[in-house]
């Protein structure tokens, strides 16, 4: 009889503990997770980005940067910007004594879902939404110091939407290497004798990210 009573008391205690744990788990599931709760990790990174694309059928090299806040290892929110670095000569658009060069720069909001971030090799899908400018400048006007004078003849403001996909390597805890591609879409370019989709096209990019 004493053994049976002891077993019933022990079973009651175990049942009480299990019920309490079940209630706790149920409450935890019902709680709303917040961006700034203790269960969410936060980080950030800064990156240098280089890329290759084409503009008006010419090779174009772009250089830029990114800065982003990383939320729970799975999503980055930040800004990015890029600019054309090499000289693209627009010989066909003007007379020989007034050849023009192309100037392009753009930037904006960066939205970047990150998948399997804790794995040494994973991927992300950066999307840039923003604005920029495109200009043509004369090459025939030089200063006495033989330095090109960046006088702008024509310019236009453009809207930019550039989605991409990248493979990313975790080199160290604070440094990542990514390579991938994107497709740049802009609003129609409104410049003399220039195709309105001159800046649209694919790009190959390479980034080195530093952060936490």
């Amino acid at each position: 009889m004493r053994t049976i009573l002891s077993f019933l008391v022990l079973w009651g205690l175990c049942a009480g503990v299990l019920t309490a744990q079940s209630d706790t788990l149920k409450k935890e599931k019902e709680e709303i997770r917040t961006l700034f709760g203790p269960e969410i990790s936060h980080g950030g990174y800064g990156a240098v980005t280089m890329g290759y694309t084409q503009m008006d059928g010419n090779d174009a090299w772009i250089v830029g940067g990114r800065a982003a806040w990383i939320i729970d290892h799975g999503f980055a929110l930040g800004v990015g910007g890029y600019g054309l670095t090499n000289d693209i000569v627009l010989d066909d658009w003007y007379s020989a004594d007034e050849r023009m060069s192309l100037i392009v720069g753009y930037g904006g909001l960066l939205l970047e879902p990150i998948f399997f971030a804790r794995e040494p090799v994973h991927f992300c899908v950066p999307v840039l939404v923003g604005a920029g400018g495109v200009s043509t400048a004369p090459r025939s006007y030089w200063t006495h110091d033989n330095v090109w004078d960046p006088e702008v003849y024509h310019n236009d403001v453009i809207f930019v939407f550039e989605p991409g996909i990248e493979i990313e390597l975790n080199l160290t805890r604070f440094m990542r290497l990514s390579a991938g591609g994107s497709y740049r879409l802009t609003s129609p370019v409104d410049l003399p004798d220039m195709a309105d989709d001159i800046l649209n096209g694919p790009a190959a990019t390479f980034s080195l990210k530093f952060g936490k």
Side-chain angles (χ1 to χ4, degrees):
M1 188 65 179
R2 183 177 299 175
T3 302
I4 295 175
L5 289 175
S6 300
F7 174 77
L8 290 174
V9 171
L10 181 60
W11 182 84
L13 291 174
C14 291
V17 171
L18 291 174
T19 302
Q21 289 181 345
S22 177
D23 291 341
T24 301
L25 291 174
K26 185 177 180 180
K27 288 180 180 178
E28 288 179 353
K29 289 181 179 180
E30 291 175 350
E31 288 180 357
I32 297 175
R33 299 184 70 194
T34 63
L35 287 177
F36 300 99
E39 69 279 4
I40 300 295
S41 63
H42 299 276
Y45 75 83
V48 177
T49 301
M50 295 170 285
Y52 168 80
T53 185
Q54 286 200 333
M55 296 179 182
D56 193 39
N58 295 281
D59 294 334
W61 297 95
I62 56 175
V63 173
R66 307 177 192 172
W69 165 36
I70 304 174
I71 306 169
D72 207 25
H73 302 285
F75 187 80
L77 175 65
V79 293
Y82 309 97
L84 176 65
T85 60
N86 63 305
D87 190 15
I88 295 181
V89 182
L90 309 174
D91 294 310
D92 299 334
W93 297 356
Y94 297 88
S95 61
D97 61 344
E98 201 170 282
R99 294 161 58 194
M100 308 293 285
S101 288
L102 188 65
I103 303 172
V104 179
Y106 63 93
L109 178 67
L110 175 68
L111 306 171
E112 185 179 11
I114 305 169
F115 300 89
F116 312 109
R118 291 182 173 85
E119 300 299 324
V121 180
H122 54 276
F123 72 98
C124 53
V125 185
V127 178
L128 182 72
V129 181
V134 54
S135 304
T136 58
R139 290 175 52 84
S140 59
Y141 189 90
W142 296 78
T143 68
H144 296 295
D145 298 327
N146 202 36
V147 176
W148 173 50
D149 190 326
E151 178 184 358
V152 175
Y153 272 14
H154 305 285
N155 59 78
D156 189 28
V157 176
I158 53 172
F159 169 79
V160 181
F161 175 70
E162 187 171 11
I165 185 168
E166 296 178 346
I167 298 296
E168 195 167 73
L169 308 178
N170 293 343
L171 300 180
T172 68
R173 294 184 65 86
F174 65 87
M175 183 169 61
R176 293 180 178 180
L177 176 68
S178 66
S182 63
Y183 197 90
R184 184 178 53 257
L185 292 166
T186 73
S187 56
V189 176
D190 185 16
L191 291 178
D193 302 317
M194 183 182 292
D196 59 7
D197 62 349
I198 186 175
L199 301 182
N200 292 355
T205 57
F206 168 89
S207 297
L208 197 58
K209 300 179 179 180
F210 299 90
K212 178 181 181 297

